[in-house]
Amino acid sequence: MTDADNTVIHVVDDDAAFRRSLVFLLESVGWRVATHAGAEDFLAAFEDGLTADLGCIVLDIRMPMMSGLELQQALRARGVQAPIVFITGHGDVELAVQAMKGGACDFLEKPFKDQVLLDAVARAIRLGCEAREREARCAEAHAQLARLSPRELEVARLVALGLPNKLVGRELDISEKTVHVHRHHVMEKTGVGSAAELARLMLRADPAALD
């Protein structure tokens, strides 16, 4: 079973009839669905521990009290990057631009065809899975590099940039023999076997690491 198979689609809309129709549609293709009558209800569920199954949020952009955009901003403030498909009954280009700038995966205007929504949700779930995989790889790379001492990190960066031991030593004002020892420790602690692998590891942890 894949990550996408375990996901839950959260429908947030103040229109009860529309929520029911979306549940019927989404469940008809095998997805699990949870519904929330408004942004406040969703945030309350989130505060109660709703975190692990945020596969995708299908979110009405215009709701009383808290709008869909405000919920998007509240989630971002909490560090939550759940994929969002916005839905609106109003052709509002400015809102669409704000939603997409805020990281939304898609923006659909009512009425829309069932397949259009299903395709948008499938894409959002796929993008969410890919983002979580990237985050996991980044966290793993950080953990590997955290085993290094500050000096070993300095050596690792220069080695990853392709400098030979002699030039690394000159750059750091240490002997070539000391560089060799540090380099050996770097490779041993991180579990990589070459400068190229070390470069990939450092870039997974931080895309700007070798700038």
Side-chain angles (χ1 to χ4, degrees), residues 115-144:
Q115 193 59 50
V116 170
L117 175 67
L118 294 176
D119 290 345
V121 168
R123 177 174 178 272
I125 290 174
R126 185 181 72 253
L127 291 175
C129 290
E130 291 171 354
R132 286 190 292 275
E133 289 170 1
R134 285 194 301 272
E135 290 170 3
R137 289 194 298 270
C138 179
E140 182 181 358
H142 273 290
Q144 287 174 264

Short mmCIF file of all heavy atoms in Angstrom, two decimals, residues 115-144:
data_model
loop_
_atom_site.label_atom_id
_atom_site.label_comp_id
_atom_site.label_asym_id
_atom_site.label_seq_id
_atom_site.Cartn_x
_atom_site.Cartn_y
_atom_site.Cartn_z
N GLN A 115 -14.75 14.81 -13.35
CA GLN A 115 -13.40 14.33 -13.68
C GLN A 115 -12.35 15.41 -13.47
O GLN A 115 -11.20 15.11 -13.13
CB GLN A 115 -13.35 13.82 -15.12
CG GLN A 115 -12.09 13.04 -15.44
CD GLN A 115 -11.93 11.81 -14.53
OE1 GLN A 115 -12.86 11.03 -14.38
NE2 GLN A 115 -10.75 11.66 -13.92
N VAL A 116 -12.74 16.67 -13.65
CA VAL A 116 -11.81 17.78 -13.43
C VAL A 116 -11.39 17.80 -11.96
O VAL A 116 -10.21 17.96 -11.64
CB VAL A 116 -12.43 19.12 -13.84
CG1 VAL A 116 -11.55 20.29 -13.39
CG2 VAL A 116 -12.63 19.16 -15.35
N LEU A 117 -12.36 17.64 -11.06
CA LEU A 117 -12.03 17.61 -9.63
C LEU A 117 -11.20 16.39 -9.28
O LEU A 117 -10.20 16.49 -8.56
CB LEU A 117 -13.31 17.62 -8.80
CG LEU A 117 -13.07 17.46 -7.28
CD1 LEU A 117 -12.36 18.69 -6.72
CD2 LEU A 117 -14.36 17.20 -6.53
N LEU A 118 -11.59 15.23 -9.80
CA LEU A 118 -10.84 14.00 -9.50
C LEU A 118 -9.39 14.11 -9.97
O LEU A 118 -8.47 13.70 -9.27
CB LEU A 118 -11.52 12.80 -10.16
CG LEU A 118 -12.91 12.44 -9.62
CD1 LEU A 118 -13.50 11.30 -10.43
CD2 LEU A 118 -12.84 12.06 -8.14
N ASP A 119 -9.19 14.69 -11.14
CA ASP A 119 -7.82 14.86 -11.66
C ASP A 119 -7.04 15.83 -10.78
O ASP A 119 -5.85 15.61 -10.50
CB ASP A 119 -7.86 15.38 -13.10
CG ASP A 119 -8.35 14.33 -14.09
OD1 ASP A 119 -8.39 13.14 -13.72
OD2 ASP A 119 -8.71 14.71 -15.22
N ALA A 120 -7.70 16.91 -10.34
CA ALA A 120 -7.02 17.91 -9.50
C ALA A 120 -6.63 17.31 -8.16
O ALA A 120 -5.53 17.56 -7.65
CB ALA A 120 -7.93 19.13 -9.30
N VAL A 121 -7.51 16.52 -7.58
CA VAL A 121 -7.22 15.89 -6.29
C VAL A 121 -6.10 14.87 -6.43
O VAL A 121 -5.19 14.81 -5.60
CB VAL A 121 -8.49 15.24 -5.71
CG1 VAL A 121 -8.15 14.34 -4.53
CG2 VAL A 121 -9.48 16.31 -5.28
N ALA A 122 -6.14 14.07 -7.50
CA ALA A 122 -5.09 13.07 -7.72
C ALA A 122 -3.74 13.76 -7.87
O ALA A 122 -2.72 13.29 -7.32
CB ALA A 122 -5.40 12.25 -8.97
N ARG A 123 -3.70 14.87 -8.59
CA ARG A 123 -2.44 15.60 -8.77
C ARG A 123 -1.97 16.17 -7.42
O ARG A 123 -0.78 16.11 -7.10
CB ARG A 123 -2.64 16.73 -9.78
CG ARG A 123 -1.40 17.59 -9.99
CD ARG A 123 -1.60 18.60 -11.11
NE ARG A 123 -0.44 19.46 -11.28
CZ ARG A 123 -0.26 20.60 -10.62
NH1 ARG A 123 -1.18 21.02 -9.76
NH2 ARG A 123 0.82 21.32 -10.81
N ALA A 124 -2.90 16.72 -6.64
CA ALA A 124 -2.53 17.30 -5.34
C ALA A 124 -1.96 16.22 -4.41
O ALA A 124 -0.96 16.45 -3.71
CB ALA A 124 -3.75 17.97 -4.70
N ILE A 125 -2.57 15.06 -4.41
CA ILE A 125 -2.09 13.96 -3.57
C ILE A 125 -0.70 13.53 -4.02
O ILE A 125 0.20 13.30 -3.19
CB ILE A 125 -3.07 12.78 -3.60
CG1 ILE A 125 -4.36 13.15 -2.86
CG2 ILE A 125 -2.44 11.54 -2.98
CD1 ILE A 125 -5.45 12.09 -2.97
N ARG A 126 -0.50 13.43 -5.34
CA ARG A 126 0.81 13.04 -5.86
C ARG A 126 1.88 14.06 -5.46
O ARG A 126 2.97 13.71 -5.01
CB ARG A 126 0.76 12.91 -7.38
CG ARG A 126 2.07 12.39 -7.97
CD ARG A 126 2.03 12.29 -9.47
NE ARG A 126 2.06 13.60 -10.13
CZ ARG A 126 1.02 14.17 -10.72
NH1 ARG A 126 -0.15 13.55 -10.76
NH2 ARG A 126 1.12 15.36 -11.28
N LEU A 127 1.56 15.35 -5.61
CA LEU A 127 2.51 16.40 -5.25
C LEU A 127 2.80 16.38 -3.75
O LEU A 127 3.94 16.60 -3.32
CB LEU A 127 1.96 17.77 -5.66
CG LEU A 127 1.88 18.03 -7.16
CD1 LEU A 127 1.20 19.37 -7.43
CD2 LEU A 127 3.26 18.01 -7.79
N GLY A 128 1.77 16.09 -2.95
CA GLY A 128 1.97 16.01 -1.50
C GLY A 128 2.89 14.86 -1.12
O GLY A 128 3.77 15.00 -0.27
N CYS A 129 2.69 13.71 -1.77
CA CYS A 129 3.55 12.55 -1.51
C CYS A 129 4.99 12.85 -1.90
O CYS A 129 5.93 12.51 -1.16
CB CYS A 129 3.05 11.34 -2.28
SG CYS A 129 1.49 10.64 -1.67
N GLU A 130 5.16 13.48 -3.06
CA GLU A 130 6.52 13.82 -3.51
C GLU A 130 7.19 14.80 -2.55
O GLU A 130 8.39 14.69 -2.26
CB GLU A 130 6.46 14.41 -4.92
CG GLU A 130 6.07 13.40 -5.99
CD GLU A 130 5.81 14.04 -7.34
OE1 GLU A 130 5.83 15.30 -7.42
OE2 GLU A 130 5.57 13.30 -8.32
N ALA A 131 6.42 15.77 -2.05
CA ALA A 131 6.98 16.75 -1.11
C ALA A 131 7.40 16.08 0.19
O ALA A 131 8.46 16.39 0.75
CB ALA A 131 5.95 17.86 -0.83
N ARG A 132 6.58 15.14 0.68
CA ARG A 132 6.93 14.43 1.91
C ARG A 132 8.18 13.57 1.72
O ARG A 132 9.01 13.45 2.63
CB ARG A 132 5.75 13.59 2.39
CG ARG A 132 4.63 14.42 3.01
CD ARG A 132 3.59 13.53 3.70
NE ARG A 132 2.84 12.73 2.77
CZ ARG A 132 1.75 13.16 2.11
NH1 ARG A 132 1.33 14.40 2.27
NH2 ARG A 132 1.09 12.36 1.29
N GLU A 133 8.29 12.97 0.53
CA GLU A 133 9.49 12.17 0.24
C GLU A 133 10.74 13.04 0.22
O GLU A 133 11.80 12.67 0.74
CB GLU A 133 9.32 11.44 -1.09
CG GLU A 133 8.30 10.31 -1.03
CD GLU A 133 7.95 9.75 -2.40
OE1 GLU A 133 8.55 10.25 -3.40
OE2 GLU A 133 7.11 8.85 -2.48
N ARG A 134 10.62 14.24 -0.38
CA ARG A 134 11.75 15.16 -0.40
C ARG A 134 12.12 15.59 1.02
O ARG A 134 13.31 15.66 1.36
CB ARG A 134 11.43 16.40 -1.24
CG ARG A 134 11.45 16.16 -2.74
CD ARG A 134 11.46 17.48 -3.50
NE ARG A 134 10.31 18.31 -3.19
CZ ARG A 134 9.15 18.25 -3.82
NH1 ARG A 134 8.97 17.38 -4.80
NH2 ARG A 134 8.16 19.06 -3.48
N GLU A 135 11.11 15.87 1.83
CA GLU A 135 11.37 16.28 3.21
C GLU A 135 12.06 15.16 3.99
O GLU A 135 12.96 15.41 4.79
CB GLU A 135 10.06 16.67 3.89
CG GLU A 135 9.47 17.97 3.38
CD GLU A 135 8.06 18.22 3.90
OE1 GLU A 135 7.58 17.39 4.72
OE2 GLU A 135 7.44 19.22 3.50
N ALA A 136 11.64 13.92 3.74
CA ALA A 136 12.25 12.78 4.43
C ALA A 136 13.71 12.62 4.02
O ALA A 136 14.58 12.37 4.86
CB ALA A 136 11.46 11.51 4.14
N ARG A 137 13.99 12.77 2.71
CA ARG A 137 15.37 12.67 2.24
C ARG A 137 16.23 13.79 2.81
O ARG A 137 17.39 13.58 3.18
CB ARG A 137 15.42 12.69 0.71
CG ARG A 137 14.87 11.42 0.04
CD ARG A 137 15.26 11.36 -1.42
NE ARG A 137 14.71 12.47 -2.19
CZ ARG A 137 13.53 12.44 -2.79
NH1 ARG A 137 12.76 11.36 -2.72
NH2 ARG A 137 13.11 13.48 -3.50
N CYS A 138 15.65 14.98 2.88
CA CYS A 138 16.37 16.13 3.43
C CYS A 138 16.67 15.90 4.91
O CYS A 138 17.79 16.16 5.37
CB CYS A 138 15.54 17.40 3.25
SG CYS A 138 16.29 18.90 3.93
N ALA A 139 15.70 15.41 5.66
CA ALA A 139 15.90 15.16 7.09
C ALA A 139 16.96 14.09 7.31
O ALA A 139 17.80 14.19 8.22
CB ALA A 139 14.58 14.73 7.73
N GLU A 140 16.95 13.06 6.46
CA GLU A 140 17.95 11.99 6.58
C GLU A 140 19.35 12.54 6.30
O GLU A 140 20.31 12.20 6.99
CB GLU A 140 17.62 10.86 5.61
CG GLU A 140 18.57 9.68 5.69
CD GLU A 140 18.24 8.58 4.69
OE1 GLU A 140 17.24 8.72 3.97
OE2 GLU A 140 18.99 7.59 4.64
N ALA A 141 19.45 13.40 5.27
CA ALA A 141 20.75 14.00 4.95
C ALA A 141 21.25 14.88 6.08
O ALA A 141 22.44 14.86 6.43
CB ALA A 141 20.63 14.81 3.65
N HIS A 142 20.35 15.66 6.68
CA HIS A 142 20.72 16.50 7.83
C HIS A 142 21.24 15.62 8.97
O HIS A 142 22.23 15.98 9.63
CB HIS A 142 19.52 17.31 8.30
CG HIS A 142 19.35 18.61 7.59
ND1 HIS A 142 20.22 19.67 7.76
CD2 HIS A 142 18.43 19.03 6.70
CE1 HIS A 142 19.84 20.69 7.01
NE2 HIS A 142 18.76 20.33 6.36
N ALA A 143 20.58 14.50 9.20
CA ALA A 143 20.98 13.61 10.30
C ALA A 143 22.38 13.04 10.04
O ALA A 143 23.20 12.92 10.97
CB ALA A 143 19.97 12.48 10.46
N GLN A 144 22.66 12.70 8.78
CA GLN A 144 23.99 12.17 8.45
C GLN A 144 25.07 13.23 8.67
O GLN A 144 26.13 12.96 9.24
CB GLN A 144 24.02 11.68 7.00
CG GLN A 144 23.26 10.38 6.76
CD GLN A 144 23.20 10.03 5.29
OE1 GLN A 144 22.22 10.32 4.62
NE2 GLN A 144 24.24 9.41 4.78
#
